[in-house]
Amino acid sequence: MSQPATRERVFSGIQPSGASHLGNYLGAQVNYVALQERYEAIYGIVDLHAMTTVHDGEQLRQLTHDMVLDLLAIGLDPDRSALIRQSDLPEHAELCWIFNTVVPVSWLERNPTYKEKRTDGIDNSNGLLTYPVLQAADIVIYKATHVPVGKDQAAHLELSREIVRAFNRRYGEIFPEPQAVFTDAPVVLGTDGVKKMSKSAGNTIRVFDEPDEIRRTVMSMVTDTQRIKRTDPGRPEVCNVCQLHRFFGGDYLQIQDGERTARTGCVETKQLLAERIIEFFRPMREKRVALAAYPDHVEQVLAAGLAKVRPIVDATMAEVRAAVGIGHTRASSR
Ligand code: TRP
């Protein structure tokens, strides 16, 4: 089958701010893998974004390296897709600045993610406020049209579209409006069963942990808090353990039924979930261990990714600089 001359382009970014967890995987990363078949896919480890929360250089470098391993292990194919480190392309930050001159501060102040992060006590840096502007730059510097992200990113993607519209209004139709691509997973809740699974909430199930660690984490999960005695009927619709079973086996309706009728207890249902998560990620964990044995591999993958995207970024930025009136233009060489 012949490829169309230009495949539509996908971009997504992931912060290297901690170990990959089930929320990352079910919410977005499964789609990274799925979309690389049909689209020209570019995936960025967004280390500049992570600087809003990771303040130790050594640690950030390590987390970035580890995230490349995670993405390769879950099945990103560096021959098919481009894996890049955001900071290798300073133009992301340049385009962010250009967008900053277009974006009203009020749009950023009312961004729900920003408000949440403020409540979480994250330093209120200018970078935290500007975070979604850099995110918009990440996407549109590649003129990507599809962005696989978790549902928690819906507001950021809407803001990206607004930024594009504002820029295009001022300087002409340069950028397409990107659209989010969601998985069918809802916002994945953490082990507490209440908050969104996230590193900052400390409620993650880390997919590359050793089996015993995964068992320990899953066994600590909060189930239906109103089910006190083993013989009490459970409410699978409010039990996060039951909800997660949906993604790890075709028999989740039976499992839910077992809980509802008290045929099974929470402990068994958790044990089963732990084993299924372990089995599901086993091949990926093994692949990750194998890849980690070649320390140079990560930098080679990033260098190849950079080489692939360099011409795209150069072309976009030449167009942008010409439109906004900065830098030299080839046309004016006398
Ligand atoms: N904000 C995203 C997250 O936390 C990460 C991100 C940065 C991103 N730049 C992006 C996602 C561009 C998609 C596209 O998950």
Side-chain angles (χ1 to χ4, degrees), residues 47 68 70 85 106 111 123 132-133 143 159 165 175 179 185 193 196 211-212 220 245 263 272 281 290 319 334:
D47 50 355
V68 177
D70 288 3
R85 173 169 47 209
S106 60
N111 162 27
D123 294 350
V133 185
K143 300 196 175 183
L159 200 45
R165 286 195 286 269
F175 294 114
Q179 82 185 58
K196 175 182 98 182
D212 272 344
S220 79
H245 266 290
R263 188 175 71 243
L272 185 61
F281 288 101
E319 196 182 351
R334 280 160 292 179

PDB file of all heavy atoms in Angstrom, residues 47 68 70 85 106 111 123 132-133 143 159 165 175 179 185 193 196 211-212 220 245 263 272 281 290 319 334:
ATOM      1  N   ASP A  47      11.593  18.641  28.706  1.00  0.00           N
ATOM      2  CA  ASP A  47      12.391  18.950  29.895  1.00  0.00           C
ATOM      3  C   ASP A  47      12.245  20.418  30.317  1.00  0.00           C
ATOM      4  O   ASP A  47      12.339  20.739  31.498  1.00  0.00           O
ATOM      5  CB  ASP A  47      13.860  18.532  29.706  1.00  0.00           C
ATOM      6  CG  ASP A  47      14.488  19.029  28.407  1.00  0.00           C
ATOM      7  OD1 ASP A  47      13.777  19.633  27.565  1.00  0.00           O
ATOM      8  OD2 ASP A  47      15.708  18.824  28.240  1.00  0.00           O
ATOM      9  N   VAL A  68      13.031   8.441  28.132  1.00  0.00           N
ATOM     10  CA  VAL A  68      13.274   7.886  26.796  1.00  0.00           C
ATOM     11  C   VAL A  68      13.185   6.358  26.867  1.00  0.00           C
ATOM     12  O   VAL A  68      12.536   5.719  26.035  1.00  0.00           O
ATOM     13  CB  VAL A  68      14.649   8.324  26.238  1.00  0.00           C
ATOM     14  CG1 VAL A  68      14.897   7.680  24.875  1.00  0.00           C
ATOM     15  CG2 VAL A  68      14.715   9.853  26.112  1.00  0.00           C
ATOM     16  N   ASP A  70      11.514   4.587  29.005  1.00  0.00           N
ATOM     17  CA  ASP A  70      10.106   4.209  29.222  1.00  0.00           C
ATOM     18  C   ASP A  70       9.354   4.190  27.892  1.00  0.00           C
ATOM     19  O   ASP A  70       8.603   3.263  27.599  1.00  0.00           O
ATOM     20  CB  ASP A  70       9.397   5.205  30.160  1.00  0.00           C
ATOM     21  CG  ASP A  70       9.857   5.089  31.612  1.00  0.00           C
ATOM     22  OD1 ASP A  70      10.756   4.276  31.892  1.00  0.00           O
ATOM     23  OD2 ASP A  70       9.323   5.832  32.459  1.00  0.00           O
ATOM     24  N   ARG A  85      14.207  15.522  22.484  1.00  0.00           N
ATOM     25  CA  ARG A  85      14.308  16.212  23.767  1.00  0.00           C
ATOM     26  C   ARG A  85      14.046  17.681  23.455  1.00  0.00           C
ATOM     27  O   ARG A  85      14.749  18.297  22.653  1.00  0.00           O
ATOM     28  CB  ARG A  85      15.720  15.997  24.333  1.00  0.00           C
ATOM     29  CG  ARG A  85      16.049  16.792  25.581  1.00  0.00           C
ATOM     30  CD  ARG A  85      17.371  16.315  26.215  1.00  0.00           C
ATOM     31  NE  ARG A  85      18.409  16.169  25.215  1.00  0.00           N
ATOM     32  CZ  ARG A  85      19.428  15.296  25.307  1.00  0.00           C
ATOM     33  NH1 ARG A  85      19.559  14.519  26.351  1.00  0.00           N
ATOM     34  NH2 ARG A  85      20.329  15.227  24.341  1.00  0.00           N
ATOM     35  N   SER A 106      -4.640  37.261  31.136  1.00  0.00           N
ATOM     36  CA  SER A 106      -5.878  36.741  31.750  1.00  0.00           C
ATOM     37  C   SER A 106      -6.189  35.309  31.296  1.00  0.00           C
ATOM     38  O   SER A 106      -6.724  34.521  32.062  1.00  0.00           O
ATOM     39  CB  SER A 106      -7.047  37.662  31.420  1.00  0.00           C
ATOM     40  OG  SER A 106      -7.218  37.740  30.019  1.00  0.00           O
ATOM     41  N   ASN A 111      -6.469  29.584  33.604  1.00  0.00           N
ATOM     42  CA  ASN A 111      -6.225  28.197  33.215  1.00  0.00           C
ATOM     43  C   ASN A 111      -6.373  27.268  34.435  1.00  0.00           C
ATOM     44  O   ASN A 111      -5.665  27.412  35.422  1.00  0.00           O
ATOM     45  CB  ASN A 111      -4.808  28.127  32.615  1.00  0.00           C
ATOM     46  CG  ASN A 111      -4.242  26.728  32.561  1.00  0.00           C
ATOM     47  OD1 ASN A 111      -4.977  25.748  32.478  1.00  0.00           O
ATOM     48  ND2 ASN A 111      -2.919  26.638  32.624  1.00  0.00           N
ATOM     49  N   ASP A 123       5.769  26.299  43.178  1.00  0.00           N
ATOM     50  CA  ASP A 123       6.240  27.694  43.091  1.00  0.00           C
ATOM     51  C   ASP A 123       5.550  28.436  41.959  1.00  0.00           C
ATOM     52  O   ASP A 123       5.520  27.961  40.837  1.00  0.00           O
ATOM     53  CB  ASP A 123       7.746  27.737  42.767  1.00  0.00           C
ATOM     54  CG  ASP A 123       8.573  27.178  43.898  1.00  0.00           C
ATOM     55  OD1 ASP A 123       8.007  26.938  44.983  1.00  0.00           O
ATOM     56  OD2 ASP A 123       9.784  26.971  43.679  1.00  0.00           O
ATOM     57  N   PRO A 132       1.414  26.736  29.460  1.00  0.00           N
ATOM     58  CA  PRO A 132       0.613  26.321  28.287  1.00  0.00           C
ATOM     59  C   PRO A 132       0.999  27.031  26.988  1.00  0.00           C
ATOM     60  O   PRO A 132       0.683  26.543  25.913  1.00  0.00           O
ATOM     61  CB  PRO A 132      -0.830  26.676  28.676  1.00  0.00           C
ATOM     62  CG  PRO A 132      -0.754  27.513  29.883  1.00  0.00           C
ATOM     63  CD  PRO A 132       0.594  27.402  30.488  1.00  0.00           C
ATOM     64  N   VAL A 133       1.694  28.157  27.102  1.00  0.00           N
ATOM     65  CA  VAL A 133       2.135  28.850  25.892  1.00  0.00           C
ATOM     66  C   VAL A 133       3.279  28.050  25.249  1.00  0.00           C
ATOM     67  O   VAL A 133       3.334  27.861  24.029  1.00  0.00           O
ATOM     68  CB  VAL A 133       2.584  30.297  26.206  1.00  0.00           C
ATOM     69  CG1 VAL A 133       2.922  31.036  24.919  1.00  0.00           C
ATOM     70  CG2 VAL A 133       1.516  31.038  26.989  1.00  0.00           C
ATOM     71  N   LYS A 143       3.514  22.036  13.149  1.00  0.00           N
ATOM     72  CA  LYS A 143       2.213  22.102  12.473  1.00  0.00           C
ATOM     73  C   LYS A 143       1.429  20.804  12.656  1.00  0.00           C
ATOM     74  O   LYS A 143       0.747  20.325  11.732  1.00  0.00           O
ATOM     75  CB  LYS A 143       2.380  22.458  10.990  1.00  0.00           C
ATOM     76  CG  LYS A 143       3.057  23.823  10.809  1.00  0.00           C
ATOM     77  CD  LYS A 143       2.905  24.375   9.412  1.00  0.00           C
ATOM     78  CE  LYS A 143       3.501  25.792   9.358  1.00  0.00           C
ATOM     79  NZ  LYS A 143       3.342  26.424   8.047  1.00  0.00           N
ATOM     80  N   LEU A 159      -6.613  25.939  24.982  1.00  0.00           N
ATOM     81  CA  LEU A 159      -5.801  27.160  25.025  1.00  0.00           C
ATOM     82  C   LEU A 159      -4.846  27.204  23.824  1.00  0.00           C
ATOM     83  O   LEU A 159      -4.648  28.268  23.214  1.00  0.00           O
ATOM     84  CB  LEU A 159      -5.029  27.177  26.349  1.00  0.00           C
ATOM     85  CG  LEU A 159      -4.479  28.488  26.891  1.00  0.00           C
ATOM     86  CD1 LEU A 159      -5.497  29.602  26.810  1.00  0.00           C
ATOM     87  CD2 LEU A 159      -4.042  28.286  28.342  1.00  0.00           C
ATOM     88  N   ARG A 165      -5.302  30.766  17.029  1.00  0.00           N
ATOM     89  CA  ARG A 165      -6.248  31.696  16.378  1.00  0.00           C
ATOM     90  C   ARG A 165      -5.791  33.146  16.555  1.00  0.00           C
ATOM     91  O   ARG A 165      -5.835  33.936  15.614  1.00  0.00           O
ATOM     92  CB  ARG A 165      -7.661  31.522  16.955  1.00  0.00           C
ATOM     93  CG  ARG A 165      -8.348  30.240  16.476  1.00  0.00           C
ATOM     94  CD  ARG A 165      -9.848  30.287  16.761  1.00  0.00           C
ATOM     95  NE  ARG A 165     -10.161  30.113  18.169  1.00  0.00           N
ATOM     96  CZ  ARG A 165     -10.398  28.920  18.750  1.00  0.00           C
ATOM     97  NH1 ARG A 165     -10.344  27.805  18.035  1.00  0.00           N
ATOM     98  NH2 ARG A 165     -10.681  28.843  20.035  1.00  0.00           N
ATOM     99  N   PHE A 175      -0.529  28.740  11.194  1.00  0.00           N
ATOM    100  CA  PHE A 175      -0.623  27.481  11.948  1.00  0.00           C
ATOM    101  C   PHE A 175      -2.002  26.839  11.846  1.00  0.00           C
ATOM    102  O   PHE A 175      -3.012  27.535  11.896  1.00  0.00           O
ATOM    103  CB  PHE A 175      -0.318  27.732  13.430  1.00  0.00           C
ATOM    104  CG  PHE A 175       1.087  28.158  13.693  1.00  0.00           C
ATOM    105  CD1 PHE A 175       1.362  29.426  14.175  1.00  0.00           C
ATOM    106  CD2 PHE A 175       2.143  27.288  13.460  1.00  0.00           C
ATOM    107  CE1 PHE A 175       2.666  29.832  14.426  1.00  0.00           C
ATOM    108  CE2 PHE A 175       3.455  27.683  13.711  1.00  0.00           C
ATOM    109  CZ  PHE A 175       3.712  28.953  14.194  1.00  0.00           C
ATOM    110  N   GLN A 179      -5.854  19.393  17.376  1.00  0.00           N
ATOM    111  CA  GLN A 179      -6.947  18.820  18.167  1.00  0.00           C
ATOM    112  C   GLN A 179      -6.469  17.664  19.038  1.00  0.00           C
ATOM    113  O   GLN A 179      -5.562  16.915  18.652  1.00  0.00           O
ATOM    114  CB  GLN A 179      -8.099  18.384  17.271  1.00  0.00           C
ATOM    115  CG  GLN A 179      -7.921  17.036  16.618  1.00  0.00           C
ATOM    116  CD  GLN A 179      -9.055  16.758  15.650  1.00  0.00           C
ATOM    117  OE1 GLN A 179      -9.296  17.512  14.696  1.00  0.00           O
ATOM    118  NE2 GLN A 179      -9.756  15.656  15.871  1.00  0.00           N
ATOM    119  N   ALA A 185     -10.045   5.751  28.149  1.00  0.00           N
ATOM    120  CA  ALA A 185      -9.949   5.726  29.611  1.00  0.00           C
ATOM    121  C   ALA A 185     -10.460   7.052  30.168  1.00  0.00           C
ATOM    122  O   ALA A 185     -10.223   8.100  29.582  1.00  0.00           O
ATOM    123  CB  ALA A 185      -8.508   5.506  30.042  1.00  0.00           C
ATOM    124  N   GLY A 193      -8.055   6.472  45.322  1.00  0.00           N
ATOM    125  CA  GLY A 193      -9.408   6.341  44.778  1.00  0.00           C
ATOM    126  C   GLY A 193     -10.165   7.656  44.673  1.00  0.00           C
ATOM    127  O   GLY A 193     -11.341   7.674  44.338  1.00  0.00           O
ATOM    128  N   LYS A 196      -6.906  12.365  40.927  1.00  0.00           N
ATOM    129  CA  LYS A 196      -6.304  11.944  39.663  1.00  0.00           C
ATOM    130  C   LYS A 196      -4.925  11.338  39.956  1.00  0.00           C
ATOM    131  O   LYS A 196      -4.186  11.853  40.802  1.00  0.00           O
ATOM    132  CB  LYS A 196      -6.155  13.199  38.784  1.00  0.00           C
ATOM    133  CG  LYS A 196      -5.445  12.997  37.478  1.00  0.00           C
ATOM    134  CD  LYS A 196      -5.318  14.325  36.742  1.00  0.00           C
ATOM    135  CE  LYS A 196      -3.947  14.946  36.950  1.00  0.00           C
ATOM    136  NZ  LYS A 196      -3.788  16.238  36.298  1.00  0.00           N
ATOM    137  N   PRO A 211       7.795  -6.426  40.266  1.00  0.00           N
ATOM    138  CA  PRO A 211       6.497  -7.025  40.615  1.00  0.00           C
ATOM    139  C   PRO A 211       6.106  -6.871  42.085  1.00  0.00           C
ATOM    140  O   PRO A 211       4.963  -6.503  42.379  1.00  0.00           O
ATOM    141  CB  PRO A 211       6.696  -8.498  40.250  1.00  0.00           C
ATOM    142  CG  PRO A 211       7.660  -8.453  39.105  1.00  0.00           C
ATOM    143  CD  PRO A 211       8.579  -7.296  39.382  1.00  0.00           C
ATOM    144  N   ASP A 212       7.038  -7.083  42.996  1.00  0.00           N
ATOM    145  CA  ASP A 212       6.667  -6.992  44.413  1.00  0.00           C
ATOM    146  C   ASP A 212       6.237  -5.584  44.806  1.00  0.00           C
ATOM    147  O   ASP A 212       5.371  -5.406  45.654  1.00  0.00           O
ATOM    148  CB  ASP A 212       7.820  -7.460  45.313  1.00  0.00           C
ATOM    149  CG  ASP A 212       7.737  -8.968  45.538  1.00  0.00           C
ATOM    150  OD1 ASP A 212       6.641  -9.541  45.265  1.00  0.00           O
ATOM    151  OD2 ASP A 212       8.740  -9.556  45.967  1.00  0.00           O
ATOM    152  N   SER A 220      -2.327  -1.538  48.537  1.00  0.00           N
ATOM    153  CA  SER A 220      -2.600  -0.361  49.379  1.00  0.00           C
ATOM    154  C   SER A 220      -3.758   0.474  48.830  1.00  0.00           C
ATOM    155  O   SER A 220      -4.122   1.499  49.411  1.00  0.00           O
ATOM    156  CB  SER A 220      -1.339   0.517  49.460  1.00  0.00           C
ATOM    157  OG  SER A 220      -1.222   1.303  48.276  1.00  0.00           O
ATOM    158  N   HIS A 245      -9.825  -2.799  36.574  1.00  0.00           N
ATOM    159  CA  HIS A 245      -9.922  -4.134  35.962  1.00  0.00           C
ATOM    160  C   HIS A 245     -10.415  -4.065  34.515  1.00  0.00           C
ATOM    161  O   HIS A 245     -10.096  -4.939  33.715  1.00  0.00           O
ATOM    162  CB  HIS A 245     -10.844  -5.046  36.797  1.00  0.00           C
ATOM    163  CG  HIS A 245     -10.100  -5.881  37.804  1.00  0.00           C
ATOM    164  ND1 HIS A 245      -9.273  -6.920  37.434  1.00  0.00           N
ATOM    165  CD2 HIS A 245     -10.060  -5.834  39.162  1.00  0.00           C
ATOM    166  CE1 HIS A 245      -8.755  -7.477  38.531  1.00  0.00           C
ATOM    167  NE2 HIS A 245      -9.212  -6.832  39.592  1.00  0.00           N
ATOM    168  N   ARG A 263     -19.477 -12.162  46.469  1.00  0.00           N
ATOM    169  CA  ARG A 263     -18.899 -13.484  46.205  1.00  0.00           C
ATOM    170  C   ARG A 263     -17.371 -13.395  46.367  1.00  0.00           C
ATOM    171  O   ARG A 263     -16.721 -14.311  46.826  1.00  0.00           O
ATOM    172  CB  ARG A 263     -19.260 -13.913  44.771  1.00  0.00           C
ATOM    173  CG  ARG A 263     -18.880 -15.342  44.420  1.00  0.00           C
ATOM    174  CD  ARG A 263     -19.377 -15.728  43.026  1.00  0.00           C
ATOM    175  NE  ARG A 263     -18.640 -15.050  41.964  1.00  0.00           N
ATOM    176  CZ  ARG A 263     -19.168 -14.196  41.097  1.00  0.00           C
ATOM    177  NH1 ARG A 263     -20.454 -13.908  41.129  1.00  0.00           N
ATOM    178  NH2 ARG A 263     -18.429 -13.620  40.171  1.00  0.00           N
ATOM    179  N   LEU A 272      -5.691  -9.992  42.243  1.00  0.00           N
ATOM    180  CA  LEU A 272      -5.849 -10.310  40.826  1.00  0.00           C
ATOM    181  C   LEU A 272      -5.415  -9.129  39.959  1.00  0.00           C
ATOM    182  O   LEU A 272      -4.713  -9.301  38.957  1.00  0.00           O
ATOM    183  CB  LEU A 272      -7.311 -10.677  40.545  1.00  0.00           C
ATOM    184  CG  LEU A 272      -7.627 -11.142  39.130  1.00  0.00           C
ATOM    185  CD1 LEU A 272      -6.862 -12.408  38.782  1.00  0.00           C
ATOM    186  CD2 LEU A 272      -9.139 -11.359  38.962  1.00  0.00           C
ATOM    187  N   PHE A 281       2.562  -5.595  31.859  1.00  0.00           N
ATOM    188  CA  PHE A 281       3.756  -4.784  31.630  1.00  0.00           C
ATOM    189  C   PHE A 281       5.047  -5.600  31.622  1.00  0.00           C
ATOM    190  O   PHE A 281       6.112  -5.039  31.401  1.00  0.00           O
ATOM    191  CB  PHE A 281       3.839  -3.643  32.660  1.00  0.00           C
ATOM    192  CG  PHE A 281       2.807  -2.575  32.413  1.00  0.00           C
ATOM    193  CD1 PHE A 281       1.634  -2.513  33.164  1.00  0.00           C
ATOM    194  CD2 PHE A 281       2.977  -1.641  31.394  1.00  0.00           C
ATOM    195  CE1 PHE A 281       0.665  -1.550  32.911  1.00  0.00           C
ATOM    196  CE2 PHE A 281       2.019  -0.673  31.143  1.00  0.00           C
ATOM    197  CZ  PHE A 281       0.865  -0.627  31.894  1.00  0.00           C
ATOM    198  N   ALA A 290      16.567  -4.529  29.059  1.00  0.00           N
ATOM    199  CA  ALA A 290      17.499  -4.827  27.966  1.00  0.00           C
ATOM    200  C   ALA A 290      18.061  -3.535  27.360  1.00  0.00           C
ATOM    201  O   ALA A 290      19.267  -3.416  27.118  1.00  0.00           O
ATOM    202  CB  ALA A 290      16.793  -5.660  26.896  1.00  0.00           C
ATOM    203  N   GLU A 319       9.327  30.874   8.386  1.00  0.00           N
ATOM    204  CA  GLU A 319       8.029  31.454   8.036  1.00  0.00           C
ATOM    205  C   GLU A 319       7.552  32.425   9.135  1.00  0.00           C
ATOM    206  O   GLU A 319       7.088  33.534   8.852  1.00  0.00           O
ATOM    207  CB  GLU A 319       7.041  30.295   7.873  1.00  0.00           C
ATOM    208  CG  GLU A 319       5.762  30.631   7.165  1.00  0.00           C
ATOM    209  CD  GLU A 319       4.823  29.413   7.101  1.00  0.00           C
ATOM    210  OE1 GLU A 319       5.240  28.282   7.460  1.00  0.00           O
ATOM    211  OE2 GLU A 319       3.661  29.614   6.695  1.00  0.00           O
ATOM    212  N   ARG A 334      21.338  41.467   0.030  1.00  0.00           N
ATOM    213  CA  ARG A 334      21.668  42.378  -1.071  1.00  0.00           C
ATOM    214  C   ARG A 334      23.037  42.081  -1.621  1.00  0.00           C
ATOM    215  O   ARG A 334      23.886  41.605  -0.907  1.00  0.00           O
ATOM    216  CB  ARG A 334      21.635  43.827  -0.606  1.00  0.00           C
ATOM    217  CG  ARG A 334      20.216  44.375  -0.548  1.00  0.00           C
ATOM    218  CD  ARG A 334      20.145  45.599   0.364  1.00  0.00           C
ATOM    219  NE  ARG A 334      20.383  45.192   1.749  1.00  0.00           N
ATOM    220  CZ  ARG A 334      20.404  46.060   2.749  1.00  0.00           C
ATOM    221  NH1 ARG A 334      20.238  47.341   2.546  1.00  0.00           N
ATOM    222  NH2 ARG A 334      20.586  45.639   3.983  1.00  0.00           N
TER     223      ARG A 334
END
